[in-house]
Amino acid sequence: MKAEIIAVGTELLLGQVVNTNATFLSEKLADAGIEVYYHTVVGDNPRRLEQLLMEAQKRSDLIVLCGGLGPTDDDLTKDTVAAHIDHLLIQDEQALDRLHDFFAFSKNQMTENNLRQTLMIEGGIAVQNPTGLAVGTLITVEETTYLLLPGPPNELKPMFTQHALPLLEELFPQKEQLISRVLRFYGIGESQLVTELKELIDTQTNPTIAPYAKPNEVTLRLTAKVVDQAQGKQLLDILEAQVMTQVGEYFYGYGDDNSLVKVTVEALKEHGKTVSAAESLTAGLFQSTLGDVAGVSEVFKGGFVTYSAQTKQEFLGIDQKLLEKEGVVSKACAIAMAEQARNRSGADFAVSFTGVAGPGELEGQSAGTVWIGLAEKGQPAVAECYHFNRERNYIRQSAVMKGLDLIRRAVTKKK
Amino acid sequence: MKAEIIAVGTELLLGQVVNTNATFLSEKLADAGIEVYYHTVVGDNPRRLEQLLMEAQKRSDLIVLCGGLGPTDDDLTKDTVAAHIDHLLIQDEQALDRLHDFFAFSKNQMTENNLRQTLMIEGGIAVQNPTGLAVGTLITVEETTYLLLPGPPNELKPMFTQHALPLLEELFPQKEQLISRVLRFYGIGESQLVTELKELIDTQTNPTIAPYAKPNEVTLRLTAKVVDQAQGKQLLDILEAQVMTQVGEYFYGYGDDNSLVKVTVEALKEHGKTVSAAESLTAGLFQSTLGDVAGVSEVFKGGFVTYSAQTKQEFLGIDQKLLEKEGVVSKACAIAMAEQARNRSGADFAVSFTGVAGPGELEGQSAGTVWIGLAEKGQPAVAECYHFNRERNYIRQSAVMKGLDLIRRAVTKKK
């Protein structure tokens, strides 16, 4: 079972866009037991794409194409593949309905070229696009399977995961299956995690352990190659228990489609608690991150962005003398902000952020110095100073993650 | 002059690493007037790499290889290319000296396999590695030029920029250079932009026009192939004027490294105006987006996140009766929020967001329905209803972009 990925788009060859689609698809296909042997990028040029298809057809069982399904004249992937296998393009009714709905709802005018997006290759299976208008196609001709996906990653990913992958798994069933489990950690770096688990990682062959560093967190993917689910679950349970013995204190949740904010919101819901915030350097990023989670209104009612000393006084009633004496980048200010945000919102918890986002210094303190305060009903508020590295927006992001972790631990009483 | 880039590394095919090297090299080569026609990724497999070299040699004048110059057994690029062109590998003395210095300085023991890194292809030019130990090679055989670069981006980039690029520019002097200009548009979709500019795009050959859709905006890259800068500037000026006649009302700024929020903050600074916000469904995303821009404290002092009806009353003093009568997803609520945010912050402008982020309905209104209010000192506040498509966080993002555009237009008095 050999697969290859062809990305179509001159913008990739000009270095304007990074080919993250190939990376995403490779990882997902590997999980499904489908091995990828080549990635290729070719420009919006039908002749060169056709040459590549001739070559790919000889060496691969599955050819995944991304890009070139859009409305404009340089979107030629569908036409070229259809010509290559000598099929026609036909209108997909479901995609057409979605197109009309889209323009009716947004009240924008629909231009004629949008109809191109609703075309699929005759004889194939239409692959619907949950976040865009261009429909994909899956079609097998003479032992070669072609999968056509859109170029924008925010369309490609949901289309692949929700619609294309289940079709591929049906088409190419694997005797041995890969069963994996993702463990998520916050508060430990990748190199430290790998050092702690070195012996386990070096000696482990089935299941395997693959660490992966993401901004401000690390995940471990445990993957077992097994004949049946039950055996896989058992192997993963044993390995997980070993991992937890060593680094369990940093573990916060399971799964690819999970995050520290989701787990934090879930914990608040479970315990029937609410949260508020007062944000200086993060400027609303903590609250906005809460807002990413559907249904957060149950536990989050609102809060404050106090970016200047003046708004700290006016919105939160913090004493001007305190700010003058202690400075805004101070324990006293962080505590006052958290306390006042909690009082004024009536929430069970409030977190506060005040510090130096950079690039320059503030009050003689270097970029990355951040005080985070935590107020809990019936308890005196506390605050700690953290030092985050790298550039401005990484510092703000790091502060928000630490704030989420503080709330999560406070709600679940895990100190 | 046709070039292609071959990245060697199984980790790329497993989706563990993104091929950013191809993007970097493509951009630099384009700037040097060398056009890249293909990117390919192949695993650490000599047979498949050799097949690819056979193919590449037929279609390209320059083949840039990255990866596989390291000390371990799966680093086979040098051996495979040398065999392909029937040359030997020889030790590069300069690289050998650097290797010995490195281990003497670090006091680590040098393992034998490190010597592999100092090998180059006989008859070629050694390309030194300023930040690593593996030496590269540039060699021309029978009208095909091969450039071998290391895989780690922190080694590839300095080696290419400092040593390889000057050699290439000498080898392939360009009579013509590419000069490009990026125009950024907000408020018009890619399909509509392309339709408006259809005649211009279809008839234009030098400069060319390349549209590119990003979330909530579209960019146009105008690229002229010219002998000198002045001629390029003139051609781009003429084309830009033609583009502006048709779609100038949506234009907001120039350049790859630009954004609507940067332009908005710049406009506020220029006019000496400040902005505040009251956010419901966006939950702080507007203010946090302002916070992304270094130096925003000059024009942004703070604002409110009022996610519930209760916080709209308590933080902003909005009349409970108004909320009960009109609902929170209403013109009256958006106007009151913007007015109160402006009053309480003392800012010159304030924007408000209230609507339905989804996934479900709110007050009988569907997800994507958003009222955005705008208050300006000395004028009655106004509000408009917008309908944004797609999922929750895209709706919130779309609302924020519209809010930024409203502020930008209000500040610069472009209605």
Side-chain angles (χ1 to χ4, degrees):
Chain A
M1 179 63 209
K2 292 184 177 178
E4 69 177 279
I5 298 167
I6 298 176
V8 185
T10 302
E11 68 279 9
L12 292 156
L13 293 179
L14 288 171
Q16 293 162 358
V17 178
V18 182
N19 190 8
T20 53
N21 286 339
T23 310
F24 169 82
L25 291 169
S26 290
E27 195 189 346
K28 296 291 170 198
L29 289 168
D31 287 348
I34 298 173
E35 284 186 81
V36 174
Y37 283 74
Y38 300 93
H39 295 171
T40 314
V41 176
V42 65
D44 301 317
N45 178 298
R47 192 179 54 79
R48 280 192 288 277
L49 178 55
E50 166 58 19
Q51 279 176 351
L52 204 57
L53 287 170
M54 299 280 282
E55 197 63 33
Q57 189 192 320
K58 280 185 242 161
R59 64 192 183 191
S60 298
D61 308 302
L62 170 66
I63 303 170
V64 182
L65 295 113
C66 6
L69 307 192
T72 68
D73 285 347
D74 59 4
D75 291 312
L76 46 85
T77 305
K78 271 190 286 208
D79 306 68
T80 309
V81 175
H84 173 72
I85 58 175
D86 205 11
H87 280 225
L88 293 174
L89 291 177
I90 56 167
Q91 201 111 53
D92 176 60
E93 291 306 321
Q94 199 178 335
L96 188 63
D97 287 350
R98 290 198 60 237
L99 182 75
H100 286 308
D101 287 352
F102 176 89
F103 280 97
F105 183 72
S106 71
K107 299 189 172 60
N108 288 328
Q109 207 198 327
M110 188 188 89
T111 51
E112 190 67 18
N113 54 3
N114 276 293
L115 288 172
R116 289 170 55 95
Q117 301 190 77
T118 66
L119 295 178
M120 61 169 289
I121 299 176
E122 191 173 28
I125 300 170
V127 187
Q128 296 302 324
N129 186 336
T131 53
L133 297 174
V135 67
T137 304
L138 179 75
I139 185 165
T140 303
V141 176
E142 291 171 9
E143 297 185 356
T144 306
T145 299
Y146 301 82
L147 172 63
L148 282 71
L149 300 170
N154 67 326
E155 298 183 22
L156 175 134
K157 289 180 183 180
M159 183 191 283
F160 184 78
T161 311
Q162 293 172 36
H163 298 302
L165 187 56
L167 291 169
L168 289 178
E169 284 172 337
E170 203 172 304
L171 207 56
F172 304 110
Q174 303 295 317
K175 263 178 275 165
E176 279 198 321
Q177 48 181 319
L178 294 174
I179 296 186
S180 67
R181 182 179 300 175
V182 171
L183 312 180
R184 308 183 74 95
F185 299 87
Y186 171 78
I188 183 168
E190 188 189 19
S191 56
Q192 196 195 334
L193 186 88
V194 167
T195 305
E196 303 263 350
L197 297 176
K198 186 167 173 26
E199 210 191 311
L200 208 52
I201 291 173
D202 286 353
T203 57
Q204 199 68 36
T205 53
N206 187 25
T208 56
I209 306 180
Y212 190 61
K214 304 188 176 182
N216 273 304
E217 62 174 318
V218 192
T219 62
L220 280 185
R221 180 182 293 267
L222 317 183
T223 307
K225 202 174 217 174
V226 286
V227 182
D228 68 80
Q229 292 263 351
Q231 185 204 354
K233 187 183 173 305
Q234 197 184 6
L235 284 175
L236 294 180
D237 284 348
I238 294 167
L239 181 57
E240 180 183 328
Q242 291 173 299
V243 168
M244 288 303 187
T245 314
Q246 319 238 76
V247 291
E249 63 186 300
Y250 306 105
F251 171 81
Y252 77 80
Y254 293 99
D256 261 329
D257 187 30
N258 199 357
S259 62
L260 189 55
V261 65
K262 281 188 186 172
V263 170
T264 305
V265 168
E266 212 39 64
L268 285 161
K269 282 188 182 175
E270 227 169 71
H271 291 78
K273 301 290 184 189
T274 56
V275 65
S276 181
E279 304 188 55
S280 185
L281 83 157
T282 48
L285 187 59
F286 177 83
Q287 296 169 80
S288 168
T289 303
L290 290 176
D292 290 348
V293 182
V296 72
S297 58
E298 200 181 304
V299 301
F300 171 66
K301 310 297 179 188
F304 304 87
V305 180
T306 54
Y307 209 64
S308 67
Q310 193 197 331
T311 51
K312 287 179 184 70
Q313 293 164 43
E314 289 177 2
F315 296 177
L316 297 172
I318 296 177
D319 189 358
Q320 190 182 344
K321 282 181 202 137
L322 180 148
L323 296 178
E324 278 167 8
K325 188 175 157 233
E326 307 278 344
V328 291
V329 186
S330 68
K331 183 169 193 157
C333 180
I335 286 179
M337 284 170 70
E339 260 173 355
Q340 288 305 317
R342 210 198 63 69
N343 283 341
R344 294 188 175 213
S345 67
D348 298 300
F349 292 92
V351 63
S352 69
F353 303 88
T354 182
V356 194
E361 293 190 344
L362 185 63
E363 297 179 350
Q365 308 210 51
S366 56
T369 308
V370 181
W371 283 92
I372 304 184
L374 179 67
E376 183 175 351
K377 204 183 215 167
Q379 292 189 22
V382 292
E384 287 285 339
C385 187
Y386 301 90
H387 297 276
F388 301 114
N389 271 306
R390 308 195 201 176
E391 49 76 49
R392 177 180 179 83
N393 287 321
Y394 195 83
I395 290 167
R396 297 171 63 225
Q397 180 66 46
S398 302
V400 165
M401 290 288 278
K402 174 54 79 177
L404 290 171
D405 198 52
L406 289 172
I407 289 288
R408 177 182 73 88
R409 288 177 185 270
V411 171
T412 57
K413 303 294 174 207
K414 286 182 192 145
K415 297 287 166 164
Chain B
M1 178 63 211
K2 289 184 178 177
E4 70 177 279
I5 298 167
I6 298 176
V8 184
T10 303
E11 69 279 10
L12 292 156
L13 293 180
L14 287 171
Q16 293 164 354
V17 177
V18 181
N19 190 9
T20 53
N21 286 338
T23 310
F24 170 81
L25 292 168
S26 290
E27 197 188 346
K28 296 291 169 197
L29 290 168
D31 287 348
I34 298 174
E35 284 185 80
V36 174
Y37 283 74
Y38 299 93
H39 296 171
T40 313
V41 176
V42 64
D44 301 316
N45 178 298
R47 193 179 53 78
R48 280 194 286 277
L49 177 54
E50 167 59 20
Q51 280 177 350
L52 205 57
L53 288 171
M54 299 280 282
E55 197 63 32
Q57 187 193 323
K58 281 185 243 160
R59 63 192 182 190
S60 297
D61 308 301
L62 169 65
I63 303 170
V64 182
L65 294 113
C66 4
L69 307 192
T72 67
D73 287 345
D74 60 3
D75 290 313
L76 45 84
T77 304
K78 271 190 286 209
D79 307 69
T80 309
V81 175
H84 174 72
I85 58 175
D86 205 10
H87 279 226
L88 292 173
L89 292 178
I90 56 167
Q91 200 110 55
D92 176 60
E93 291 305 321
Q94 199 179 335
L96 188 62
D97 287 350
R98 289 198 62 238
L99 183 73
H100 286 308
D101 288 352
F102 176 86
F103 279 97
F105 182 73
S106 72
K107 300 193 171 58
N108 288 328
Q109 209 198 326
M110 190 187 87
T111 51
E112 189 65 21
N113 55 4
N114 275 292
L115 289 171
R116 289 169 55 95
Q117 300 189 78
T118 66
L119 297 176
M120 61 168 287
I121 299 176
E122 190 174 26
I125 300 170
V127 187
Q128 296 303 322
N129 186 335
T131 53
L133 298 173
V135 66
T137 304
L138 180 74
I139 184 164
T140 303
V141 176
E142 288 170 11
E143 297 186 354
T144 307
T145 298
Y146 301 82
L147 172 63
L148 281 71
L149 300 170
N154 67 326
E155 297 183 24
L156 176 134
K157 288 181 185 181
M159 183 191 281
F160 184 78
T161 311
Q162 293 172 36
H163 298 303
L165 187 57
L167 291 169
L168 289 177
E169 283 172 337
E170 205 172 301
L171 206 58
F172 306 110
Q174 298 298 314
K175 268 172 279 172
E176 294 181 318
Q177 51 184 316
L178 294 175
I179 296 182
S180 69
R181 183 179 298 174
V182 171
L183 312 180
R184 308 182 75 94
F185 299 86
Y186 171 78
I188 182 169
E190 186 190 18
S191 55
Q192 196 195 335
L193 185 89
V194 167
T195 304
E196 302 265 347
L197 297 175
K198 186 165 176 25
E199 210 191 312
L200 208 51
I201 292 173
D202 286 353
T203 56
Q204 199 68 37
T205 53
N206 187 24
T208 55
I209 306 179
Y212 189 63
K214 303 186 177 186
N216 272 305
E217 62 174 318
V218 191
T219 62
L220 281 185
R221 181 181 293 266
L222 317 183
T223 307
K225 200 176 222 176
V226 288
V227 181
D228 67 82
Q229 293 263 351
Q231 186 205 354
K233 187 184 172 304
Q234 198 185 6
L235 283 176
L236 294 181
D237 285 348
I238 293 166
L239 180 57
E240 181 183 327
Q242 291 173 300
V243 168
M244 289 303 188
T245 314
Q246 317 239 76
V247 290
E249 65 187 297
Y250 304 104
F251 171 80
Y252 77 81
Y254 293 99
D256 263 327
D257 186 30
N258 200 357
S259 62
L260 189 55
V261 66
K262 281 188 185 172
V263 170
T264 304
V265 168
E266 213 38 67
L268 285 160
K269 283 186 180 175
E270 227 169 72
H271 290 79
K273 301 290 185 190
T274 56
V275 65
S276 182
E279 304 187 55
S280 185
L281 82 156
T282 49
L285 187 60
F286 177 83
Q287 297 170 80
S288 169
T289 303
L290 289 176
D292 291 348
V293 182
V296 72
S297 57
E298 200 181 305
V299 301
F300 172 65
K301 310 297 178 187
F304 304 86
V305 180
T306 54
Y307 209 64
S308 67
Q310 193 197 330
T311 50
K312 289 179 182 70
Q313 293 165 43
E314 289 177 2
F315 297 175
L316 297 171
I318 296 177
D319 189 357
Q320 189 181 344
K321 282 180 205 139
L322 179 148
L323 297 178
E324 278 167 8
K325 188 174 158 233
E326 306 279 345
V328 292
V329 186
S330 68
K331 182 169 194 159
C333 181
I335 287 180
M337 285 171 69
E339 261 173 355
Q340 287 305 317
R342 210 197 64 68
N343 283 340
R344 293 187 178 215
S345 66
D348 298 301
F349 292 92
V351 64
S352 68
F353 304 88
T354 183
V356 193
E361 293 191 344
L362 184 64
E363 296 179 352
Q365 308 209 52
S366 57
T369 308
V370 181
W371 282 93
I372 304 183
L374 179 69
E376 181 175 352
K377 205 182 213 168
Q379 291 189 24
V382 293
E384 286 286 338
C385 187
Y386 301 90
H387 296 276
F388 302 114
N389 269 303
R390 310 198 195 174
E391 49 75 50
R392 177 178 179 86
N393 287 320
Y394 196 83
I395 290 167
R396 297 171 62 224
Q397 180 66 47
S398 303
V400 165
M401 290 287 280
K402 174 54 77 177
L404 290 170
D405 198 53
L406 290 172
I407 289 289
R408 178 182 74 87
R409 288 177 185 270
V411 172
T412 58
K413 304 292 175 211
K414 286 178 193 146
K415 298 289 168 169

